[in-house]
Amino acid sequence: MSQFNIHSIQSAPAGAQALLQGSLKKYGFIPNLHGGLAEAPVALEAYIQLTALFDRSSLSPTERQVVVLAVSAENQCTYCVAAHSTIAKHMVKADPTVVDAIRNLQPLPDPKLDALANFTRNAVRYRGVVRGQALDKFIAAGCSRAQVLEVILGVTFKTLSNYTNHLINTPLDSAFQAESWKQPSQCANKQCA
């Protein structure tokens, strides 16, 4: 049982109410993550701002979803894997085989996206100390040095939500139920932690 509330606009602290109204306008509902982050309006504001900044990166919408899914799977965040699987498949129209490969901790069918996912996983797993093959393969796949730092931005904002979801035990929204996720018990390719 969580010690935290999932706030509505009415129950949220005053500093979060307008932010939740923005979430309602953008998504048509208030995601439970946003309702949970509303407990600390500055945390919700940071999440919204970091999301907007990441959306302005040079990474394509599919590449951004690869990053956030890879971070969330590596951090074992069931909420964010389900949410971003839904976003990737239904809003971004990413290839479902790419999304499913990330969810199952398998190699991606596209070499550039696979290099992106592996670099992202390594950034999370090794707390940003990524050198050697993972970095070399990322650059060799056609990604820029600027994109290395953009991935770190994605890791930053997704870590905020992943850790929040772990702490507050965020219930999965009905909009994301079809993509609910549990971490695979074993990884055939030995890429998981």
Side-chain angles (χ1 to χ4, degrees):
M1 178 147 186
S2 178
Q3 297 178 2
F4 292 86
N5 295 316
I6 304 299
H7 288 284
S8 66
I9 294 169
Q10 296 75 23
S11 71
Q17 290 177 351
L19 297 169
L20 290 179
Q21 287 173 340
S23 296
L24 178 61
K25 183 177 179 183
K26 180 176 181 177
Y27 300 106
F29 69 102
I30 298 171
N32 286 333
L33 168 62
H34 295 206
L37 281 166
E39 185 71 32
V42 69
L44 176 58
E45 183 178 5
Y47 181 76
I48 290 169
Q49 288 182 359
L50 288 169
T51 301
L53 290 169
F54 187 59
D55 285 348
R56 289 180 22 214
S57 74
S58 67
L59 298 168
S60 72
T62 294
E63 290 168 336
R64 291 193 304 268
Q65 290 304 309
V66 167
V67 170
V68 296
L69 278 164
V71 172
S72 299
E74 186 68 27
N75 281 331
Q76 302 172 22
C77 182
T78 58
Y79 182 94
C80 284
V81 172
H84 285 286
S85 295
T86 301
I87 293 166
K89 288 180 179 179
H90 302 288
M91 294 174 71
V92 173
K93 305 293 187 201
D95 181 345
T97 61
V98 168
V99 176
D100 291 340
I102 297 169
R103 289 170 56 92
N104 294 315
L105 308 174
Q106 298 295 316
L108 279 62
D110 177 286
K112 183 176 181 181
L113 294 179
D114 191 53
L116 174 61
N118 283 326
F119 175 76
T120 303
R121 286 186 201 106
N122 279 287
V124 174
R125 191 175 300 148
Y126 301 113
R127 296 173 180 87
V129 183
V130 183
R131 296 182 181 95
Q133 278 191 330
L135 180 58
D136 294 344
K137 285 182 180 179
F138 185 67
I139 299 293
C143 299
S144 70
R145 290 186 308 273
Q147 288 174 325
V148 169
L149 300 176
E150 291 171 351
V151 168
I152 299 306
L153 173 60
V155 169
T156 301
F157 103 84
K158 251 318 101 180
T159 300
L160 172 60
S161 64
N162 293 168
Y163 287 11
T164 297
N165 289 322
H166 293 318
L167 285 168
I168 70 174
N169 197 27
T170 310
L172 190 59
D173 301 278
S174 60
F176 308 137
Q177 286 291 332
E179 295 293 339
S180 66
W181 179 81
K182 290 183 180 179
Q183 181 184 18
S185 59
Q186 291 185 350
C187 301
N189 64 2
K190 309 249 190 253
Q191 287 184 337
C192 56

